[in-house]
Structure formats: C-alpha cells, structure tokens
Amino acid sequence: MNQTRHKLITCILPKGNAVNVAAKLKAEHGIMSMNINNARGVGTITPLAYRGIGGQSEKEVLTVVIPESDADEIFEYIYEEANINRPHGGLMYIHPLNMSTSFILPAIPDEK
C-alpha cells in the first residue's frame, strides 16, 4: 500500500483558463490527477458592487492532487501559468489530504 502523503491544490479561475493550465500540467509535469468543475461567483469589486449588487460571473474550479514533496513547486507553477497575480485572476489554496488512493491507468499499446 502506498503511504505517500498528498496535498490538494484548489484554484478558482475565470472561465476558460482551467483547461489550458491542466494541459500544461500534463505536458510539462506528467500530472494527471486533476479535475475541472464549473461554478458561479459573485465579485465584490465590480461596478454593480457599488450599488450593493455583486456581479455574477462563471468560474472554473481546478483541483489537483499532488504528492506532498512536489506541492510547493506545483503550487508556484500553477500560480504563474494561471496568472493568479493579476486583478480578477482568481485565487488558489492548498491543504493536506487525510487520505488519497493512487489510480494509475495501464499502458495501452498503439493500434496498428
């Protein structure tokens, strides 16, 4: 049984950003343990906020399960690739998982 400790990185991103980040994680780091969901959010720094109404917008939620030893590196990578540091770029957080199970797909030979 694999006893590697893992962390969960959660990113709330503007609609349309999560797929690109996920593709880069797979291509550049070989990470496949991720999921993308859709959500709707209300912003507090929008023109409507000054009238007491938050502006609703669609968001994407990217979650990535990472071995604890790689968590800081991957967190920084996602932060840069997703442009979290710009206004309305989204937010992200990380926390340890109590339990996770590795699931590895078998290699499938190419069809001829």
Side-chain angles (χ1 to χ4, degrees), residues 24-41:
K24 287 181 179 183
L25 283 169
K26 181 180 182 254
E28 296 179 22
H29 294 278
I31 296 171
M32 308 244 332
S33 55
M34 56 192 135
N35 190 40
I36 299 172
N37 290 305
N38 294 312
R40 184 172 296 276

Side-chain angles (χ1 to χ4, degrees), residues 1-8 33 65-71 96-104:
M1 186 166 161
N2 187 351
Q3 295 295 323
T4 303
R5 297 180 63 78
H6 289 84
K7 289 195 174 188
L8 178 68
S33 55
V65 177
I66 297 294
E68 189 175 54
S69 59
D70 300 332
L97 292 174
N98 292 331
M99 184 182 294
S100 64
T101 302
S102 295
F103 181 75
I104 300 171

Side-chain angles (χ1 to χ4, degrees), residues 76-87:
E76 290 177 27
Y77 177 83
I78 294 171
Y79 180 85
E80 294 297 326
E81 290 299 321
N83 295 314
I84 297 289
N85 60 334
R86 66 179 172 80

Side-chain angles (χ1 to χ4, degrees), residues 9-29:
I9 299 173
T10 303
C11 309
I12 302 172
L13 305 170
K15 185 177 180 181
N17 289 8
V19 171
N20 294 334
V21 175
K24 287 181 179 183
L25 283 169
K26 181 180 182 254
E28 296 179 22
H29 294 278

